[in-house]
Amino acid sequence: MINYENLLGEDPALARYSAEKIIESGWANGNYPLVQLTDIPWDTQDHSDRSWSFRIHAWRMLDSILKAFSSTRNSKYLTAATAVAIEWCGQFSDYDAPGLPDFAWYDMAVGLRAYRLAYIIDMNKAMSVDLGEDADTLWLALLRHQEYLSDDKNITFHNNHGLYQVAGQLAMARRFGKLVPSIAEAGEQGLVRLEKMLAQQFTPEGVHREHSPGYHLMVYKTLKEIIASGLIDRPNIVEFSRKIEEALSWLVLPSGHLVNFGDTDFESLSCMPELAIKRWVTSKMQYVTSNGVKGSAAYGCMVYEEGGYFIARQRDKKQPGNFKRASYLAQIAAFHSRTHKHADDLSFVWAEKGQLLLTDAGRYGYPGKVEQGSDLWMDGYWYSDPNRVYCESTRAHNTLEFDGRNYERRGVKPYGSALKRHIVSPDGIIAIETECKHFGSIRHVRVLIFSPGEWLLVFDWFHDNYKEKRTARQWFHLGHHLELSRDTEGLRASIPGSEVPLRIASFNPEVSLSKIFIGQVEPQMQGWWSPKEKEIIPTHDFCFEQHEKNTGVFATLFCLSNSLSSDPEDSRFNVSGRNAQFKWNDDRGFNAIRFNRSMDEKLSVAYSKSEPSSH
């Protein structure tokens, strides 16, 4: 008998425990209501909980139960799953019928349900279970799934949903292709589609184009399980899957959490070393998920030119063998499509000494459906819940905001990657330059200059080609464990477990500092972070701002030091933003950084450091 396809990657060892709870007490999923298998709300039409409705019609509640049956062959699991399948197929198997719930034949739900339905039919046959007329009900429903998935107009080639649809085709073909020629043909069709989807959804570097490490992980897990389940064995696909996993390894923080860019929860991938070897194929992914115990080190700089990610990861100088204390800086500079795209152009995250210092907003979830033609719809939103709206907004990310507006996503041409140039100086200073255009007229250049374990300089230059005067805000969002306050030297953030705080100062005397926001609701949300679905917690936010400018510069220094004294009088930059120098004193002494963004494709950085007495 062919085992159940574990396409969602859940640990099979936990399946039996989960299956028992679901059968006895009901299915609990996140913050959603408990569902009894004998009373599943199939007809829910609540658009405020789209994710919930989708999971119900994808038969998500059966996943652990079918895994438990696959490993134990205990008939009670198959009986429970079959009863649910019969109930659904008896009501909704005709996808052309009027009045169906919106998610009954939702693209991704069809793919996930198809392989579960195929397994249920196959196992009942293998176990010689007499289902009577219900067997016909299930079989006819399977044929309807095959028919639906065979039509290209029902397939979402451009995003991750299509991969699950293909997985459903391949699973049905493996189980029943020898019996039904049309199902066998669907399997061949699925293989052709899979190669097309991988080329469309991932860059040649192995980076997922949906602006979200969470979806990179989700799609990769499905691809990995498709391969592990024996649904495909094409060498080119297997090799490309390794490249995808290596790219994913760079999107893991030293804490073991995914970088929560875009629609990504703050999910921990950390596990015991033995599990890391079992779960992951590449040595780099084994390393970052096992706290550096297994696999090989993944340090240095990684530039995904087409994908639009820049990542720097460096060993901690005092504890080089402690992966959790590594320095980490990651910038997202991509716009490939509206799919899972937040208004977050050129945003970044930063972690040091085991703490996330600057973070992204998170996903929150997909509650509420935006009405077509509404203000939210025109502003590029698909979902209307206020928490979700905030998490997508420009002001919820570490980037510039102009005139209180979100960066455009609807009706504008995606620019692909905004990465320009980068350099690593002989003394280990890292610089990355990115550039994009906003609202058709504003040029925005960002240069991040980074001394791992010590400081980060965020330089932003903007210019409106139409000479319109703008209000610009440079937003920053601290990790949720940090406490931010003002003092005589500027801003100070205390870091749990560290005697050295994070000091923050601006080099531009023309900018003003906002108040510190934490958990603000009115007049608009500010100071929030969403670690997981339907959860949002207060964090410390602030911004530097300037008004009535058609050309402007922000230069903000973040420094791990007990003291920080910036030198605005001896720090300067030209109007084009191509040349700048900045000077300051901290615990390590006197610092001076100069950079040049010449027009001949060169980026240069010079850094000097000396004792304070030499200045």
Side-chain angles (χ1 to χ4, degrees):
M1 289 188 283
I2 302 172
N3 287 331
Y4 177 66
E5 296 88 1
N6 182 19
L7 297 186
L8 297 187
E10 182 186 14
D11 190 341
L14 301 176
R16 185 173 178 181
Y17 171 76
S18 298
E20 292 290 342
K21 288 190 66 176
I22 293 169
I23 292 173
E24 293 175 9
S25 306
W27 174 51
N29 190 263
N31 296 320
Y32 295 109
L34 190 70
V35 171
Q36 303 297 326
L37 295 186
T38 55
D39 188 24
I40 298 174
W42 302 115
D43 59 350
T44 178
Q45 297 280 34
D46 187 356
H47 286 288
S48 66
D49 282 326
R50 292 170 56 83
S51 295
W52 181 232
S53 300
F54 153 68
R55 290 170 188 170
I56 287 173
H57 283 282
W59 298 358
R60 183 66 178 82
M61 74 292 292
L62 299 187
D63 204 52
S64 295
I65 295 173
L66 295 175
K67 287 191 186 80
F69 174 76
S70 186
S71 62
T72 67
R73 293 296 187 260
N74 186 326
S75 62
K76 75 174 181 179
Y77 300 125
L78 181 61
T79 299
T82 302
V84 172
I86 290 171
E87 180 183 351
W88 188 94
C89 293
Q91 300 180 65
F92 309 117
S93 61
D94 184 358
Y95 59 78
D96 286 327
L100 290 173
D102 288 350
F103 285 87
W105 286 88
Y106 180 66
D107 51 19
M108 185 173 170
V110 178
L112 290 168
R113 192 172 59 235
Y115 82 84
R116 291 165 178 157
L117 176 58
Y119 182 72
I120 289 170
I121 295 172
D122 195 22
M123 290 304 100
N124 274 285
K125 180 180 178 182
M127 300 290 285
S128 300
V129 178
D130 184 4
L131 296 176
E133 294 182 355
D134 289 333
D136 293 334
T137 299
L138 296 178
W139 182 251
L140 289 173
L142 187 75
L143 294 178
R144 293 293 277 171
H145 281 70
Q146 180 270 315
E147 180 182 292
Y148 179 92
L149 293 171
S150 68
D151 192 339
D152 275 352
K153 73 179 183 182
N154 296 324
I155 305 300
T156 49
F157 287 92
H158 65 283
N159 66 32
N160 64 86
H161 295 194
L163 201 64
Y164 296 99
Q165 293 176 302
V166 163
Q169 283 189 295
L170 296 175
M172 288 190 294
R174 182 167 67 162
R175 295 187 185 280
F176 302 111
K178 292 181 180 179
L179 298 176
V180 182
S182 62
I183 293 181
E185 292 171 4
E188 291 299 318
Q189 182 186 46
L191 285 172
V192 173
R193 285 172 167 175
L194 178 60
E195 291 189 331
K196 179 179 179 180
M197 288 176 183
L198 291 177
Q200 188 169 335
Q201 294 183 29
F202 289 87
T203 70
E205 311 150 309
V207 172
H208 198 238
R209 299 180 196 265
E210 293 187 10
H211 322 97
S212 307
Y215 278 89
H216 185 128
L217 171 65
M218 180 192 299
V219 174
Y220 171 66
K221 277 184 172 180
T222 302
L223 177 61
K224 182 163 69 77
E225 294 303 332
I226 287 174
I227 294 170
S229 298
L231 293 176
I232 58 171
D233 59 1
R234 294 191 176 182
N236 61 319
I237 295 179
V238 174
E239 181 58 32
F240 189 57
S241 74
R242 292 179 62 89
K243 185 177 289 189
I244 292 171
E245 185 178 292
E246 287 207 351
L248 179 65
S249 74
W250 285 96
L251 298 172
V252 178
L253 291 159
S255 65
H257 292 82
L258 274 181
V259 176
N260 64 327
F261 287 138
D263 282 343
T264 303
D265 292 335
F266 195 60
E267 176 183 355
S268 176
L269 301 183
S270 294
C271 60
M272 298 298 291
E274 296 75 17
L275 280 178
I277 295 294
K278 181 180 178 181
R279 288 178 180 174
W280 305 104
V281 177
T282 64
S283 61
K284 286 187 173 63
M285 195 65 185
Q286 292 165 358
Y287 184 86
V288 300
T289 58
S290 69
N291 190 28
V293 176
K294 296 292 184 181
S296 61
Y299 293 102
C301 294
M302 179 56 68
V303 184
Y304 289 109
E305 296 282 0
E306 190 172 338
Y309 286 117
F310 176 87
I311 304 103
R313 184 192 282 135
Q314 300 290 340
R315 295 181 186 273
D316 183 73
K317 294 176 181 177
K318 293 183 178 179
Q319 299 182 36
N322 188 343
F323 176 67
K324 284 185 176 293
R325 291 182 61 82
S327 298
Y328 183 89
L329 177 70
Q331 184 178 19
I332 183 169
F335 183 9
H336 300 293
S337 71
R338 287 183 66 191
T339 306
H340 299 292
K341 169 65 176 168
H342 289 200
D344 61 354
D345 295 346
L346 312 189
S347 186
F348 67 95
V349 299
W350 179 31
E352 293 283 358
K353 317 299 182 186
Q355 295 288 338
L356 187 57
L357 303 184
L358 292 169
T359 186
D360 210 62
R363 179 175 70 99
Y364 187 73
Y366 311 123
K369 188 176 182 181
V370 168
E371 182 180 349
Q372 187 169 346
S374 66
D375 290 344
L376 284 177
W377 185 81
M378 296 296 292
D379 201 13
Y381 289 97
W382 298 111
Y383 309 103
S384 60
D385 184 279
N387 295 332
R388 169 68 188 192
V389 169
Y390 170 74
C391 286
E392 285 190 52
S393 69
T394 296
R395 69 180 187 277
H397 300 87
N398 299 313
T399 191
L400 291 192
E401 178 193 46
F402 295 97
D403 301 327
R405 297 172 62 188
N406 294 318
Y407 292 150
E408 294 175 301
R409 294 170 290 170
R410 180 182 176 276
V412 294
K413 183 180 178 180
Y415 55 73
S417 172
L419 297 180
K420 304 299 284 187
R421 300 173 288 190
H422 76 282
I423 188 173
V424 181
S425 69
D427 47 8
I429 303 300
I430 299 166
I432 173 68
E433 178 189 20
T434 51
E435 180 176 355
C436 60
K437 181 176 283 189
H438 308 298
F439 309 113
S441 64
I442 303 174
R443 286 185 60 201
H444 174 201
V445 174
R446 165 162 281 185
V447 181
L448 300 179
I449 306 178
F450 182 42
S451 178
E454 297 181 350
W455 51 263
L456 172 67
L457 175 65
V458 183
F459 177 87
D460 285 302
W461 173 86
F462 70 89
H463 173 72
D464 192 303
N465 291 332
Y466 294 160
K467 306 298 183 182
E468 291 189 23
K469 293 184 177 181
R470 305 285 186 172
T471 293
R473 296 182 176 89
Q474 186 190 46
W475 282 105
F476 297 107
H477 308 266
L478 271 64
H480 68 290
H481 287 124
L482 276 63
E483 294 287 337
L484 184 64
S485 60
R486 291 177 182 259
D487 64 15
T488 56
E489 297 181 4
L491 288 171
R492 179 185 187 278
S494 59
I495 304 172
S498 174
E499 296 180 357
V500 179
L502 178 66
R503 297 282 184 174
I504 306 163
S506 172
F507 287 108
N508 187 350
E510 295 185 1
V511 306
S512 58
L513 176 61
S514 73
K515 71 176 185 178
I516 296 172
F517 299 89
I518 178 168
Q520 175 179 290
V521 177
E522 297 293 344
Q524 63 181 7
M525 290 185 68
Q526 195 66 56
W528 298 93
W529 176 65
S530 176
K532 61 182 180 180
E533 186 163 26
K534 301 192 80 172
E535 181 176 319
I536 194 163
I537 61 177
T539 56
H540 290 83
D541 292 3
F542 68 95
C543 70
F544 291 101
E545 54 190 322
Q546 48 188 302
H547 304 274
E548 296 296 305
K549 296 282 188 179
N550 55 44
T551 300
V553 164
F554 293 91
T556 304
L557 178 68
F558 294 82
C559 186
L560 292 164
S561 176
N562 284 294
S563 63
L564 175 63
S565 176
S566 62
D567 189 352
E569 292 184 1
D570 204 17
S571 297
R572 58 181 64 92
F573 41 83
N574 63 5
V575 68
S576 68
R578 293 196 173 277
N579 297 281
Q581 73 171 22
F582 303 102
K583 298 180 180 181
W584 72 92
N585 281 282
D586 59 26
D587 291 352
R588 290 168 288 272
F590 172 73
N591 302 262
I593 188 83
R594 297 185 303 276
F595 74 82
N596 177 268
R597 302 187 304 109
S598 66
M599 299 183 66
D600 60 359
E601 302 302 318
K602 291 182 179 180
L603 173 68
S604 63
V605 174
Y607 174 64
S608 61
K609 181 169 62 174
S610 59
E611 293 300 318
S613 59
S614 67
H615 179 50

